[in-house]
């Protein structure tokens, strides 16, 4: 069994399949992180959907074969509150974030 991991960065989003029992990366892929420059008329929630739904689903589909995943972990390089809500991501959302994304 493996863990599906995502690293959401300001320019790239990486997905990997990690074997915890052997502490090794089985395979990985990456794609460009959608951002406010790609969607100039979108509200923050539209960028979130584009990034965290469509892109992550596509990347996972490229590396996961069958029901091999036991958990999913996400790394996000930005400030979050104690509940895990994203507070800012200037390279992704620019200055359009008002409040948190939960």
């Amino acid at each position: 069994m493996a863990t599906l991991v995502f690293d959401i960065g300001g320019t790239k989003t990486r997905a990997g399949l990690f074997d915890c029992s052997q502490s090794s990366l089985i395979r990985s892929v990456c794609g460009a992180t959608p951002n406010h420059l790609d969607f100039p008329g979108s509200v923050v929630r539209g960028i979130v959907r584009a990034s965290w739904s469509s892109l992550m689903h596509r990347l996972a589909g490229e590396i996961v074969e069958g029901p091999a995943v036991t958990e999913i972990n996400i790394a996000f390089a930005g400030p979050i509150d104690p509940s895990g809500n994203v507070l800012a991501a200037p390279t992704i959302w620019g200055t359009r974030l008002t409040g948190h994304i939960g």
Side-chain angles (χ1 to χ4, degrees), residues 8-25:
I8 300 173
T11 58
K12 299 251 186 237
T13 294
R14 293 167 183 82
L17 199 56
F18 187 78
D19 183 336
C20 295
S21 66
Q22 301 207 8
S23 193
S24 64
L25 189 62

Side-chain angles (χ1 to χ4, degrees), residues 4-8 13-16 29 31-34 47-64 72-76:
L4 178 60
V5 294
F6 290 98
D7 175 12
I8 300 173
T13 294
R14 293 167 183 82
V29 293
T33 300
I47 297 170
V48 168
R49 279 190 209 100
S51 176
W52 294 351
S53 179
S54 170
L55 176 62
M56 292 171 71
H57 188 266
R58 180 180 62 79
L59 294 175
E62 290 180 24
I63 60 174
V64 175
I72 299 172
N73 291 298
I74 300 172
F76 186 84

Side-chain angles (χ1 to χ4, degrees), residues 23-46:
S23 193
S24 64
L25 189 62
I26 299 168
R27 66 180 72 86
S28 66
V29 293
C30 73
T33 300
N35 64 59
H36 65 102
L37 299 174
D38 298 329
F39 302 94
S42 291
V43 295
V44 170
R45 292 199 190 313

Side-chain angles (χ1 to χ4, degrees), residues 75-93:
F76 186 84
I80 59 172
D81 68 16
S83 298
N85 297 306
V86 176
L87 300 174
T91 57
I92 299 173
W93 300 313

